[in-house]
């Protein structure tokens, strides 16, 4: 398969300003989800630039190079969606949204990036009318086969108009991943506003720029995700699209996310104190300043050096090193920290999606977690670092036998 096309971003995705300042240049990588079957190991994989730019107009941070969206989503292979903790996260939030929305007669919910329809099934079971929009044609077909009405394609105003014409306006629009993956976020938000009833709500989750800066969590940065959000520019973009941010919080999953609620301008739902609180926190962290990202680059270099010193000592002592976690962001982390097949013998991963495959570009084999007991490495680098302690606690016998789990971020440290 040929490599997806790559183009330099010509303007800010949120405001259109053409003055974009490069602020963080990472090591180029292949697309994060391009895991390889054994039969395809001889095929070359192209590495593409992975660089963030800061908009001089609205101070939004975004990816500088845009890869073809359809090609990236052609093989939606990502262990994140299959993780029990992530499924539980989405189920809990869906139930909260149902409680928060006015209980009308068979209200309509539209899920943008609806995957196989699992989230919509919860709403359908609760008496809602449901509508999915899913860019991956194969995955959309799975949802349709389950009886979930789904439009295949990237969400845009034309799809919003079609849904409104056929099914009416929505009480609730959900976008828990796809808003940061579209190359036309302004058109995306325009479509959301078209779909919403005057008393409706827009629920979204987007990558948190604060999480990346605070914890050096650069594994959140992949070619699939174009935008890394902070509250100030996001609030302005919503307002320009006829929406108002009324609540926002942070979650730990997917490398750190902003979870927000917006309503149509003039709606009755009050603006909660959380919006002002997170705005103040962002000003304190300097998320709008280019110097913040230069400091992050230096910090990342220090982490890489510390890890290299530790691993060199481990190798010199004859210790065997493996890793845990083959989620999409692991590709970014492996390249940024200089971890290749010469350092890591295998990566254990609980999701069956990647089992038997090899990591993009570096071709480190991905195996079932049972291989930790079978192969008995001495050190396991937890690439799913935010869950490092919980992962380590699943393997008390491994640790009792002398095995150690190493969390690489925000500073390299052995799990207790």
């Amino acid at each position: 398969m040929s490599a997806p096309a790559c183009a330099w971003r010509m303007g800010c995705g949120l405001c259109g300003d053409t003055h974009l300042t490069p602020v963080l240049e990472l090591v180029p990588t292949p697309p994060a989800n391009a895991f390889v079957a054994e039969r395809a190991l001889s095929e070359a994989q192209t590495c593409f630039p992975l660089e963030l730019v800061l908009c001089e107009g609205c101070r939004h941070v975004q990816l500088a190079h845009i890869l073809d969206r359809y090609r990236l989503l052609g093989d939606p292979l990502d262990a994140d969606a299959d993780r029990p903790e992530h499924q539980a996260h989405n189920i809990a939030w869906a139930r909260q949204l149902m409680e928060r929305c006015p209980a009308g007669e068979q209200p309509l919910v539209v899920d943008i990036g609806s995957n196989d329809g699992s989230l919509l099934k919860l709403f359908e079971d609760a008496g809602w009318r449901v509508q999915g929009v899913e860019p991956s044609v194969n995955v959309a077909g799975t949802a349709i086969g389950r009886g979930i009405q789904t439009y295949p394609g990237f969400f845009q105003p034309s799809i919003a108009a079609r849904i409104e014409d056929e099914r009416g306006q929505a009480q609730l629009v959900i976008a828990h991943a796809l808003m940061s993956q579209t190359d036309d976020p302004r058109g995306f938000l325009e479509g959301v506003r078209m779909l919403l009833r005057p008393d409706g709500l827009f629920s979204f989750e987007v990558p948190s720029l604060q999480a990346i800066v605070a914890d050096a969590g650069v594994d959140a940065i992949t070619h699939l995700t174009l935008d890394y959000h902070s509250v100030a520019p996001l609030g302005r973009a919503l307002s320009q699209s006829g929406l108002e941010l009324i609540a926002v919080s942070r979650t730990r999953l997917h490398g750190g996310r902003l979870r927000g609620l917006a309503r149509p301008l003039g709606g009755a739902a009050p603006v909660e104190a959380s919006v002002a609180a997170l705005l103040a926190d962002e000003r304190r962290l300097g998320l709008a300043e280019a110097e913040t990202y230069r400091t992050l680059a230096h910090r990342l270099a220090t982490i890489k050096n510390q890890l290299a010193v530790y691993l060199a000592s481990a190798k010199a002592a004859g210790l065997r090193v493996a890793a845990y976690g083959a989620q999409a962001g692991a590709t970014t982390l492996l390249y940024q920290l200089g971890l290749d097949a010469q350092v890591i013998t295998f990566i254990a991963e609980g999701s069956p999606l990647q089992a038997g495959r090899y990591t993009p570009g570096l071709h480190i084999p991905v195996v079932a977690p049972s291989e930790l007991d079978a192969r008995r490495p001495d050190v396991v680098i937890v690439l799913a670092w935010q869950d490092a302690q919980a992962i380590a606690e699943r393997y008390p016998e491994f640790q009792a036998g002398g095995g150690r789990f190493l969390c690489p971020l925000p500073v390299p440290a052995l799990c207790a």
Side-chain angles (χ1 to χ4, degrees):
M1 180 180 293
S2 61
C6 178
W8 175 263
R9 182 190 290 274
M10 301 305 294
C12 175
L14 289 189
C15 75
D17 195 302
T18 58
H19 297 91
L20 304 175
T21 300
V23 290
L24 182 65
E25 183 176 2
L26 299 177
V27 178
T29 77
N33 280 340
F35 285 78
V36 182
E38 186 171 6
R39 66 180 181 276
L41 283 174
S42 61
E43 299 177 10
Q45 286 184 281
T46 304
C47 288
F48 297 96
L50 200 58
E51 183 177 9
L52 296 184
V53 291
L54 174 69
C55 173
E56 294 296 335
C58 71
R59 316 307 287 178
H60 175 54
V61 171
Q62 54 219 286
L63 211 60
H65 297 83
I66 301 176
L67 270 61
D68 184 281
R69 303 286 89 196
Y70 286 97
R71 291 293 304 280
L72 285 180
L73 286 165
D75 183 18
L77 186 68
D78 189 354
D80 278 353
D82 201 45
R83 296 179 190 278
E85 60 268 30
H86 293 181
Q87 294 172 356
H89 166 85
N90 289 334
I91 290 170
W93 184 231
R95 289 173 176 159
Q96 291 180 44
L97 289 171
M98 282 187 262
E99 293 174 359
R100 182 161 187 150
C101 287
E105 183 178 346
Q106 287 193 310
L108 175 67
V109 55
V110 178
D111 187 6
I112 304 170
S114 51
N115 208 286
D116 65 357
S118 296
L119 189 67
L120 286 176
K121 188 65 171 62
L122 297 173
F123 285 89
E124 187 176 63
D125 290 345
W128 288 62
R129 294 181 297 125
V130 301
Q131 175 67 57
V133 181
E134 170 53 48
S136 172
V137 175
N138 292 338
V139 177
T142 300
I144 293 169
R146 300 178 63 191
I148 302 297
Q149 190 163 331
T150 305
Y151 286 128
F154 278 95
F155 181 74
Q156 53 190 309
S158 61
I159 288 182
R162 182 177 174 184
I163 294 172
E164 182 184 10
D165 181 61
E166 295 178 358
R167 313 211 56 193
Q169 288 188 305
Q171 185 67 54
L172 178 63
V173 175
I174 300 173
H176 283 179
L178 207 63
M179 192 169 87
S180 58
Q181 297 174 3
T182 177
D183 56 5
D184 182 20
R186 286 180 292 172
F188 187 100
L189 292 175
E190 177 188 344
V192 169
R193 180 61 191 91
M194 289 171 59
L195 272 179
L196 277 181
R197 292 163 43 115
D199 62 346
L201 286 176
F202 172 41
S203 167
F204 61 88
E205 284 190 2
V206 291
S208 167
L209 186 59
Q210 181 273 343
I212 294 172
V213 170
D215 295 328
V218 292
D219 54 317
I221 303 170
T222 72
H223 295 106
L224 185 59
T225 302
L226 297 178
D227 298 289
Y228 301 88
H229 287 283
S230 52
V231 176
L234 181 57
R236 285 192 290 270
L238 287 165
S239 179
Q240 290 167 2
S241 299
L243 299 163
E244 183 171 15
L245 184 65
I246 61 171
V248 65
S249 61
R250 297 187 181 118
T251 72
R252 291 185 63 255
L253 291 182
H254 303 287
R257 314 281 283 182
L258 284 177
R259 172 191 281 176
L261 282 176
R263 58 160 169 77
L265 287 172
V271 177
E272 299 178 6
S274 59
V275 177
L278 263 66
L279 280 169
D281 196 33
E282 289 179 357
R283 287 192 292 270
R284 179 183 62 80
L285 287 170
L287 297 188
E289 307 304 324
E291 181 59 32
T292 297
Y293 305 96
R294 287 190 283 270
T295 300
L296 175 59
H298 291 308
R299 184 179 175 191
L300 187 62
T302 299
I303 292 169
K304 179 179 179 179
N305 289 336
Q306 290 173 338
L307 191 60
V309 169
Y310 175 85
L311 292 175
S313 174
K315 286 286 187 178
L319 301 184
R320 295 159 298 173
V321 180
Y324 194 107
Q327 68 285 359
T331 299
T332 303
L333 203 55
L334 289 167
Y335 273 88
Q336 305 320 306
L337 297 182
L339 304 174
D340 58 20
Q342 300 301 312
V343 177
I344 295 175
T345 54
F346 66 87
I347 300 176
E349 170 54 56
S351 169
L353 289 173
Q354 272 93 332
R357 293 186 176 238
Y358 295 78
T359 63
L362 300 173
H363 295 170
I364 302 170
V366 181
V367 302
S370 58
E371 292 298 310
L372 289 178
D373 290 322
R375 302 193 192 187
R376 302 297 301 178
D378 300 289
V379 179
V380 178
I381 303 170
V382 185
L383 302 176
W385 61 273
Q386 290 194 325
D387 299 317
Q389 192 60 45
I391 289 169
E393 290 171 0
R394 295 176 197 166
Y395 300 93
E397 293 182 3
F398 172 77
Q399 294 190 82
R404 293 291 178 263
F405 288 92
L406 174 64
C407 181
L409 299 176
V411 293
L414 292 171
C415 296

